[in-house]
Amino acid sequence: MNRSPDDSASGLPAGNGGGKSVASNVIWNWAGMLVALLSGFLVLPFLVKHLGETVYGLWILIASLTNYFSLLDLGVRGSVGRYVAYYKARQDPAGVNAILNTSLLILCAVAVICVLATFAALYLFFVFIQVPPEVVGATRMALLLVGLNFALTFPLMIFDGLLWAFQRFDLINIVDIPMCLLRVGLTVALVGTGGGLVSLAVLTIIVTVLTGVIKGVLCFKVDPDIRIGARFIDRAVVWTIYAFGIWSFLLSVARELRNQVAPLMVGHHFGLRGPALVTLFSTAARLVGYAGQFLIAATGVLTPLSTTLHAQERHDQQRQLFLHGGKYCMSLSLYFLGLFLLLGQWLLFKWMGSSLDNASLQLTWQILWILALGEVLPMSQWVTNSMALGMARHKVLAMAGLVEGVIAITLSIILMPSMGVLGLCLGFSIAGTLCRGMYQLFYGCQLAQVRVSTYVWQAVFWPLAAAAVPAAALWLWTERLPYVAWWNLFAAGAVYSLLYAASAWLILGAGDPLGGRLRQRSSSRGAAADDELELKQV
């Protein structure tokens, strides 16, 4: 059995194991994302209203601190999907079972470490965060239960990785969607009848275990050849797992620095006001996060396609994938920016108006537009991320992510004394634009052997042109009509969306906005002449 697949074949082979098509996977991912988005959208104001800004902020801080536990696996879970898919494509059930069982043993050991880390977190949380005396006991118990939940997550999530490797995004979402709805229903029932932090933590454990068990059963149905047993554990596989996983781990570290450090910095820096400000920050960050999830759901399934193109040395199609993917990701990024900048204030007032006062809503709006501006260019580069993973060239992205974290924290420390929480938002936005935006753009052009000027013309300029008319129309609407009801807000969003879709179809839909061929001069080493490419969507 080959234990060390060549780097050129890294990632998921397209269409292996009876996987669904790219389009089907994207649709299922979007369906799951939409349910999660709507659920969070509806539950957030309910929780803030019934728990209060301070208690809900403590719940966010507990999640932020314990989310670091997800880094303990050192990238094992990411390696499971990659190598199971590889051996499945090679029709090597022994390889699949070796990866599965060796990873499962590692993750069980990580679960034990997670439990020990939880007890350390019980001390550190109250050192960094000032908790009101009346909720200290509930906060401590909730933190303990959430840590236990993370410990259970490690071995159970291996089944999620198996379904991902089999490209069964339909089954993943068939389980996740009902579980999401169940969680919403139980949350409303428990919190609405007086439940607090402890109730939310218990509910989290129930949903985690139930989801993992169901996905485990489905894995055995999809592939009857998989086996669980000590005899399948192979020590030689450990290096194979970590050789790829360590860089996935560093990518995860960078992601956690972005997503979790900011709330902790707010909670610590502003003392007793910290938990309440965390609520405002997390509300705005959640809206921006929804936009990012929309793009991740679409571009994440491109990793198998990029892997196949790279392995077969189909460089022209790789360039097409990069240019087309970048163009449409930028278009979607600008679409969400228009929504947040022009409708975000009114959305917040209608959405959270019963839970927050006017001053808090105004500050949340300011946080939203700073975060949204900072994510436009980074969100347009998710195709670069998928392409780098498919080519096993994600090491550079991991290092850039760590640099981003250092820049973001440094700028935030400098700006917060004079600008408050807005200074932190500005620091993280600048760092994201530089590292996940501009740097990834240059790196993607290098990987795809595309000139930067070509990319800017094709994937930046024309999406900006397509966004101009819909944005102007929405601005005129907001200037002339007050938002006094939900229907007015929805109407404005619907008209904007239709205009945006029409503009994007007219300007971007033909592949080359000029209606002809894009003459692309490759600037990478080894390219000796111009390439004449007919840009067609892969």
Side-chain angles (χ1 to χ4, degrees), residues 252-271:
S252 298
V253 170
R255 189 177 303 115
E256 292 305 316
L257 283 174
R258 291 198 309 269
N259 297 337
Q260 309 305 331
V261 167
L264 291 174
M265 290 181 67
V266 173
H268 173 69
H269 182 81
F270 295 99

Side-chain angles (χ1 to χ4, degrees), residues 153-212:
T153 297
F154 283 110
L156 291 175
M157 282 296 291
I158 200 167
F159 299 118
D160 194 90
L162 285 175
L163 292 175
W164 187 87
F166 299 153
Q167 299 187 51
R168 294 308 302 266
F169 293 90
D170 55 334
L171 296 180
I172 292 174
N173 287 285
I174 283 173
V175 176
D176 286 345
I177 290 172
M179 289 298 103
C180 180
L181 297 176
L182 175 64
R183 182 169 184 166
V184 170
L186 292 177
T187 297
V188 172
L190 292 174
V191 176
T193 55
L197 293 176
V198 177
S199 298
L200 289 174
V202 171
L203 173 59
T204 300
I205 293 177
I206 293 173
V207 173
T208 295
V209 173
L210 189 58
T211 301

